[in-house]
Amino acid sequence: MAKITKISTQKRAGRYNLELDGRFAFGISENVLAKFGLMKGRELDKEEIERIKAADLVDQGLKVALNYLSPAIRTKKQVANRLKSKDIKEGVIDQVIDYLVEQQLLDDATYAKAYVNTKQVFSPKGPRAIAMDLKKAGVAEPLIEAAMEEYPEEAQLEVAVKLAEKIARTHKRDSTRIRQQKTAQSLAQKGFSFDIASRAVNAIDIEADEEDERENARKEAEKAIRRQRTGTAKERYYKVKSKLYAKGFTAETIDWALEQFDFGMD
């Protein structure tokens, strides 16, 4: 048996030094001190000392976990990874996770539903991208499927339409066809299905008026002409024309745009 001869505070708030038989033994938290009812003069056997040490490791792990959980909800995998990064042992991590789950401070199902709802408003994503994010966060497949019920097709389309309007505006200098393609591709990259992406593109006013379309074609032709410094006038003409076709402009618009420049073919 060992007798507690002194309990003193550490510089770190909430931590105490425990002396046994006149010698420093180990440090413990205030929570553990209270949990075991430790005080000067009490005698401890080896098993009690090991239980106290183990409880202190768990308490330290809990503090790390709670600090990590304070700004946002997390998954079990995320908390476990955080604890690992702080060199906390596997067995201690399991106890911390179990305690947090028991206290309803950690719930992957709640996290998944909250994440799905958040991604419909902030930094919107499609269902495929959201499901992938949840999988990376360690959420089990059944919980992902249940959470995705919070994101029905009507909501997906509503979010996709708003995104499509923003995306289309960033490509206002492209031809209508290319703008449609780029908008649909961006939606697909954000995790929306081809069907939702297509319906969203069709739902917005993405088609440029004739004047804007012609001006866009003229600007593209001007850029292409500056790059064509070799070859005959005829070769340069057809290279520029080919570039405009690749940009998605109609034959009529291309002919108009090319008429605005003198290729010197007369």
Side-chain angles (χ1 to χ4, degrees), residues 2-265:
K3 181 183 289 187
I4 299 175
T5 51
K6 186 178 181 181
I7 300 174
S8 57
T9 58
Q10 292 184 359
K11 290 182 180 180
R12 281 193 297 167
R15 298 289 299 174
Y16 293 82
N17 290 328
L18 201 71
E19 288 187 9
L20 299 176
D21 296 330
R23 294 183 179 181
F24 170 76
F26 49 85
I28 56 173
S29 70
E30 189 171 10
N31 290 337
V32 174
L33 189 71
K35 179 180 178 181
F36 285 86
L38 302 178
M39 59 185 67
K40 185 179 178 180
R42 178 175 168 179
E43 293 187 337
L44 304 171
D45 59 28
K46 289 183 179 180
E47 289 184 356
E48 285 178 306
I49 291 171
E50 291 307 312
R51 285 200 300 272
I52 292 168
K53 288 181 178 179
D56 188 65
L57 290 175
V58 173
D59 191 68
Q60 290 181 57
L62 274 172
K63 285 184 178 178
V64 172
L66 291 171
N67 285 336
Y68 184 54
L69 286 168
S70 61
I73 59 175
R74 316 282 186 178
T75 65
K76 289 186 284 187
K77 180 180 178 181
Q78 289 172 335
V79 172
N81 287 341
R82 180 70 170 186
L83 293 172
K84 285 177 187 175
S85 74
K86 298 295 183 179
D87 297 324
I88 294 173
K89 295 179 181 179
E90 198 72 39
V92 174
I93 291 174
D94 292 340
Q95 292 182 66
V96 171
I97 297 295
D98 289 344
Y99 176 83
L100 293 172
V101 170
E102 183 183 329
Q103 297 298 313
Q104 298 182 339
L105 296 172
L106 203 54
D107 186 345
D108 283 2
T110 299
Y111 174 93
K113 289 181 179 180
Y115 189 84
V116 170
N117 289 325
T118 297
K119 286 302 171 182
Q120 294 179 53
V121 181
F122 304 104
S123 301
K125 291 185 177 183
R128 285 204 309 269
I130 290 174
M132 190 177 298
D133 289 346
L134 290 174
K135 191 172 182 180
K136 287 180 181 177
V139 180
E141 196 64 39
L143 298 182
I144 293 176
E145 292 177 3
M148 293 311 299
E149 292 177 6
E150 303 284 320
Y151 200 8
E153 192 173 280
E154 314 86 74
Q156 292 175 34
L157 182 58
E158 184 179 346
V159 172
V161 167
K162 290 179 180 177
L163 273 175
E165 289 173 340
K166 287 184 178 179
I167 295 166
R169 284 197 294 270
T170 67
H171 299 293
K172 61 183 180 181
R173 293 185 178 179
D174 291 317
S175 66
T176 296
R177 183 167 67 84
I178 294 298
R179 193 182 299 125
Q180 289 172 330
Q181 289 178 356
K182 287 183 177 180
T183 301
Q185 287 170 357
S186 293
L187 290 174
Q189 289 169 356
K190 286 183 175 292
F192 292 95
S193 68
F194 174 78
D195 177 60
I196 292 293
S198 298
R199 287 163 62 187
V201 170
N202 291 332
I204 66 174
D205 183 14
I206 203 170
E207 188 171 352
D209 60 34
E210 184 178 354
E211 185 177 343
D212 286 342
E213 193 82 345
R214 284 185 170 187
E215 181 58 19
N216 287 337
R218 188 195 66 76
K219 288 178 180 177
E220 288 296 334
E222 188 174 25
K223 284 196 294 185
I225 289 169
R226 286 199 299 268
R227 292 170 186 160
Q228 302 301 326
R229 298 185 180 183
T230 60
T232 66
K234 189 173 183 180
E235 287 173 339
R236 287 187 286 109
Y237 175 87
Y238 281 107
K239 282 182 181 179
V240 173
K241 190 171 188 176
S242 177
K243 289 282 185 183
L244 294 179
Y245 271 117
K247 289 290 184 179
F249 294 104
T250 64
E252 183 181 357
T253 302
I254 291 171
D255 288 341
W256 178 89
L258 294 177
E259 287 173 3
Q260 310 309 305
F261 301 94
D262 182 8
F263 286 86
M265 293 191 297

